[in-house]
Structures are given as structure tokens and as C-alpha cells.
DNA sequence: TAGATTGTTAATCGATTAACAATC
DNA sequence: TAGATTGTTAATCGATTAACAATC
């Protein structure tokens, strides 16, 4: 089953629902949840919860609600998180290093965390072969080979702004389909490749708007 | 002049326009720009650029376009970036440490970067007094005092999920009006306080949706 | 059965785009 | 003046909310 043209606004909320379901499943041993409860904890109106889920199938029972574990599994499946998703990270500076350690720690401690960092890349020869936790740093030239060897599907980009487009171009030609970009630049990618931007300085500037002048 | 009820979608684009104008001003010595050109570089339709700007005043000339430096200054003013905005960071783990170093480096190298980190906080006594670059780490208990002393207006939150709400509550009672949250939790704040979420794992999970199943 | 809650359709709301008179 | 581009209004598009029949 492929669902065409699900809007980005809908896709954004699915991981939020998933997080709520995982919390409830872990903490509360509760088995059923209404769109009302789920929406409350996710910060989404109940009608919107139902409408979002209805794009993908009928997961609830009238008069009863949704089964927590069943819906959780369905959302995992929809998000391709019912398998390990293998991620590379390009640019092992301070930020890349911190994200690598964070991701590894989460992956070890929380088995519902399925986006796993499995390779690090950097262009500085001094770093090649170095380990971050148990992960080796490779030259960016090794990217294409590693994509094939390890089955990488996603990359996190933490290189300086001026190199971001270049490394993304290389990742895309190697077959990468999703990019989490921390560099403060607008990346240009072909259709079918998806970019999420995590741009610290844009967020800080946006927040500054709400300060009193 | 206060502009009531400017939508969040509009505010989000202002820093993008500002970035384009700063690039053009620095690199190209170009003095005029049309909404067409600005929109192209910002990834926004020209009519929307004009409409966004028109919320705040009339900055262009018919038949001519916008003056780059003038519009840049006006956007800085609108975003409260015509002065130093003082930011604290709570939670100096690996991620907090990396963000602190990144922000300090940007602040030194780029004088258009006006959101300055000026205080670090952590609850681990072992870290108190330690320096990150030239910035000292204080106990979280010192927060209220430092807000007053240094004029902090914003905080970056990089504590573990279970402590995030608590430290934000304390920041808010100390008078903080804007929060950049890296913890994977939905924060509850009173009206008038603004939160931007930078939730790495939600973004990775969202991107996983677009991978082939 | 009676009460509750889903899935879905219709109504509303808000944001983007198109169009154009004003004017530099 | 003629050409270009703004600021703004009207039209369109899409997302959210309200309402309710179906049904557990």
C-alpha cells in the first residue's frame, strides 16, 4: 500500500502521536485510548487526530477508541520504523560529535528508537580512523561505498555552511533519500529527496521577534 | 509600533529574508533587489514576499524594488536584532557544550549574529565553575539571579527530557520570554512565553516516512 | 439496549497566489 | 514617457474544525 500525497502537516504529527503512544504503553499499562485523550497529550484537536489516522486506514473501534499497542505498531509501520533505519553523519565537528554521542546513547537505551547512526564522515584526514564511542570516522570520499555496504538511507549534515551543498550532492548521488540539515543554508535537492532543516540560528532569530523591543 | 497578530508563518520567513539580504549585502555589493529576486533566493513566491513585508510597513519603491541595506536594517529592527539579545543555556552535556561553542564562534566571527550566549547552567556540582570557551558554568539555582544581572531574555534547553519542564518553569518565573527546546517533550508555558522546538528524533522519524518501505 | 466514540462529510478558517491599479 | 515593480484586493487553495450517521 502506498499513500500518495499525504500532506507534510499530517506526516509531522505522526511521530508525535507515536511518542505519546510509546509513553502510555510504557508508563501506564493502559490498553485503550480515545482520540480525545491522544489529542490532549499530543496537543492536537481530537477531530484532527481521527482525520490524520484515517488517511492510512481504520485503526479504531466506534464507541471504544484505539488500542494503544496496535496503533503504535501501525504508526511504526507507516513511518518505516518497524525496521532499523541506517543513518550516516557528515561533519564530525563539535556539533556532529555531540549528535553522534546522543544518537548512540538513545539507540542503546531505548529500543523504540530505530534511526541508528552507523557511520561518520569527515574531510579532515587527521580525524580518519578516530572513534566516537565505537564508531569510526571515514573520509567523505568513502560515502558512496559505505552507503552500499551498510545500507545507509539518511544522512545528518553538520558541516560548515559552505560545504553543505557539496556533501549533500554527493550523498544524493550515492542514493541517500533523506537529509537532516544543520547547516544554515537552503539545500537544493532533486525531487524524491527530502530535507528537514534544523537551523539553530533561524530559530533563535525567530524567537527574538517575540521579545519586547 | 506594535504589530498585533502577525501569524507565525510570516514571522518564520523574516529571518530567511534577513539571511538573504545579509548575504547579498556582503557578497554582491548590490544595492537593489526586487521581491522576485529576494523570493527566488529565499524559496518564497514574490507575491508572498511583498505581502509579508507589507504587514510591517512600506519598504519598497514601485518600479524599483527594495534597497538591500535599508530593508536589512528594517528587518533587524522588526526582529529585535538591532541590539544584542542575551541568551542562557541550561544543561551542559555533550549537546549543550557543542551548541555553546558553536554560538560563541558565530558571535565572534559574524557581527550580524546578535543572539549571544552569555551564561551556562547545569545541575551537576562537578561542572560548576568550569569554563566552556570563556563562559563559566553556574548552578541552575543561580538562574534567577543571572537573568536579572545579565539581562537574559532567552534560554536554550539541553537537559534530559525528564528535567526539561522543571527548568523551563524556573526560567519562566525568572522572567524568560523565549525558549529554544532540544528536549523531546512538549513544554507547557504560560501565554506570552514562546517555545521553539528543535527535536532531533521527531525530525528523523518524520524523514523516515519518506523512505521506501 | 444506552452511551460512547469512530470515520467521514460539510463548514470554516487561514494562508497563499493571482491580478492590477498606483506610481516610481 | 514607457517599463517595471510595488502594495493591496480578490480568488484560490488547503488545512482545521464541527457535526453527525454508523456502529461498537
Amino acid at each position: 500500500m502506498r499513500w500518495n500525497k499525504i500532506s507534510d502537516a499530517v506526516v509531522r504529527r505522526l511521530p508525535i502521536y507515536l511518542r505519546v503512544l510509546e509513553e502510555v504503553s510504557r508508563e501506564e499499562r493502559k490498553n485503550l485510548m480515545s482520540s480525545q485523550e491522544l489529542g490532549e497529550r499530543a496537543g492536537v484537536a481530537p477531530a484532527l487526530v481521527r482525520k490524520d489516522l484515517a488517511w492510512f486506514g481504520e485503526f479504531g473501534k466506534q464507541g471504544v477508541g484505539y488500542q494503544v499497542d496496535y496503533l503504535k505498531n501501525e504508526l511504526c509501520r507507516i513511518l518505516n520504523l518497524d525496521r532499523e533505519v541506517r543513518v550516516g553523519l557528515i561533519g564530525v565537528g563539535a556539533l556532529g560529535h555531540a549528535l553522534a554521542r546522543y544518537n548512540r546513547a538513545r539507540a542503546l537505551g531505548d529500543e523504540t528508537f530505530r534511526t541508528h547512526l552507523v557511520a561518520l564522515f569527515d574531510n579532515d584526514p587527521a580525524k580518519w580512523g578516530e572513534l566516537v564511542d565505537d564508531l569510526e570516522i571515514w573520509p567523505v570520499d568513502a560515502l558512496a561505498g559505505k552507503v552500499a555496504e551498510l545500507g545507509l538511507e539518511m544522512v545528518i549534515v553538520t558541516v560548515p555552511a559552505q560545504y553543505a551543498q557539496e556533501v549533500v550532492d554527493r550523498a544524493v548521488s550515492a542514493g541517500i533519500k533523506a537529509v537532516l540539515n544543520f547547516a544554515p543554508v537552503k539545500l537544493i535537492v532533486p525531487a524524491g529527496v527530502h530535507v528537514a532543516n534544523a537551523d539553530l540560528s533561524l530559530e533563535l532569530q525567530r524567537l527574538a521577534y517575540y521579545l519586547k523591543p
Side-chain angles (χ1 to χ4, degrees), chain A:
Chain A
M1 180 173 16
R2 269 292 79 185
W3 314 285
N4 276 344
K5 309 292 341 172
I6 301 291
S7 101
D8 188 61
V10 174
V11 175
R12 258 171 210 289
R13 286 187 293 263
L14 301 181
I16 301 176
Y17 301 148
L18 178 57
R19 175 176 290 171
V20 170
L21 292 164
E22 271 164 355
E23 281 168 12
V24 169
S25 169
R26 199 176 325 116
E27 295 161 15
E28 295 179 28
R29 302 261 134 267
K30 197 202 286 201
N31 226 349
L32 282 171
M33 234 182 160
S34 63
S35 59
Q36 167 86 57
E37 287 172 278
L38 176 47
E40 214 159 275
R41 294 192 55 153
V44 174
L48 189 52
V49 172
R50 297 198 297 277
K51 198 162 204 306
D52 284 345
L53 297 176
W55 287 101
F56 303 99
E58 308 196 357
F59 303 117
K61 265 203 184 38
Q62 278 103 325
V64 178
Y66 300 91
Q67 261 198 289
V68 173
D69 287 322
Y70 174 67
L71 184 55
K72 176 162 76 73
N73 288 336
E74 288 299 301
L75 280 175
C76 273
R77 186 176 54 74
I78 291 162
L79 288 166
N80 297 309
L81 296 169
D82 52 352
R83 58 179 176 86
E84 182 184 273
V85 172
R86 301 186 140 210
V87 183
L89 182 146
I90 314 177
V92 193
L95 182 61
H97 199 277
L99 294 177
R101 297 201 32 157
Y102 175 75
N103 188 294
R104 296 294 282 177
R106 276 290 292 274
L108 284 171
D110 174 0
E111 105 283 3
T112 64
F113 188 80
R114 304 302 296 281
T115 51
H116 288 182
L117 207 46
V118 295
L120 307 177
F121 303 91
D122 201 289
N123 239 346
D124 178 1
K127 290 182 182 158
W128 299 346
E130 204 179 286
L131 295 181
V132 175
D133 290 346
D134 53 344
L135 231 50
E136 193 173 343
I137 301 178
W138 300 94
V140 178
D141 286 332
L143 190 56
K146 287 285 163 186
V147 168
E149 179 192 332
L150 300 171
L152 297 180
E153 297 179 275
M154 241 187 237
V155 292
I156 299 173
V157 173
T158 43
V159 300
Q162 68 264 37
Y163 306 121
Q165 184 65 56
E166 188 203 319
V167 303
V168 167
D169 290 344
R170 298 177 67 174
V172 167
S173 15
I176 289 296
K177 286 283 176 277
V179 177
L180 180 52
N181 173 40
F182 284 83
V185 285
K186 189 170 165 288
L187 296 175
I188 295 156
V189 294
V193 177
H194 291 263
V195 175
N197 288 299
D199 192 322
L200 174 62
S201 50
L202 285 188
E203 293 294 303
L204 286 174
Q205 294 187 334
R206 171 168 94 75
L207 282 171
Y209 173 80
Y210 300 102
L211 302 177
K212 65 171 175 309

